[in-house]
Amino acid sequence: MIRTAALAHIRNRRLLQARSTGKEVFYMAGGKIDPGESPVQALYREVREELGVDVAAHDELGVFECEAYGHTPGTALHMTCFIADLTGEPTPTSEIAELRYFTVGEYAAMPHVAPGSILVFRRLHELDLIDW
């Protein structure tokens, strides 16, 4: 099982997604939780590493479980997701090729999507925080 912390950063009713260098799929910004690290600590570290900004405030959205995209079939993903405000404008770091904001429909129409991201998109839409 892969345990991660993920950022749900919303702007203009769209959700931020990041595409890593050398990959074609957009994922939630965030990453693996290191040994001895809490999900909140991982969120703050990963946002700083990937987006070059800090988390200003956060609320836990929930835990999402599904199959991990891009790993051996059957590998489980346990993703703790946080809705968060940032201290500045997120910008891609060396490991991130591109950042983009999506509605649910825009993301779902991509040729490749991450199951964990789809779960978060749906939850945020149910909460009326992002557009379809």
Side-chain angles (χ1 to χ4, degrees):
M1 177 176 293
I2 299 171
R3 294 185 180 277
T4 65
L7 169 69
H9 181 64
I10 300 164
R11 176 182 293 158
N12 298 324
R13 298 184 56 82
R14 287 176 156 73
L15 179 62
L16 178 68
Q17 295 284 284
R19 185 176 62 78
S20 297
T21 303
K23 302 216 173 155
E24 52 190 29
V25 67
F26 282 85
Y27 293 94
M28 305 292 301
K32 291 181 184 170
I33 300 170
D34 288 341
E37 192 175 47
S38 72
V40 171
Q41 290 168 323
L43 173 74
Y44 279 63
R45 176 182 53 77
E46 288 286 349
V47 166
R48 198 172 313 109
E49 289 174 3
E50 292 185 357
L51 307 179
V53 293
D54 289 312
V55 173
H58 72 274
D59 288 306
E60 186 173 322
L61 177 64
V63 174
F64 299 83
E65 294 183 331
C66 60
E67 188 167 318
Y69 183 87
H71 292 271
T72 305
T75 301
L77 172 68
H78 179 276
M79 179 174 66
T80 305
C81 188
F82 299 89
I83 295 176
D85 293 324
L86 305 175
T87 59
E89 181 66 27
T91 53
T93 63
S94 60
E95 66 184 82
I96 302 298
E98 182 180 3
L99 298 174
R100 193 187 302 176
Y101 290 86
F102 292 91
T103 65
V104 179
E106 290 166 344
Y107 186 76
M110 297 292 290
H112 302 282
V113 296
S117 288
I118 287 290
L119 293 175
V120 173
F121 270 98
R122 288 183 180 151
R123 176 75 55 83
L124 292 170
H125 184 260
E126 288 168 3
L127 296 171
D128 196 33
L129 296 174
I130 63 173
D131 289 332
W132 186 264

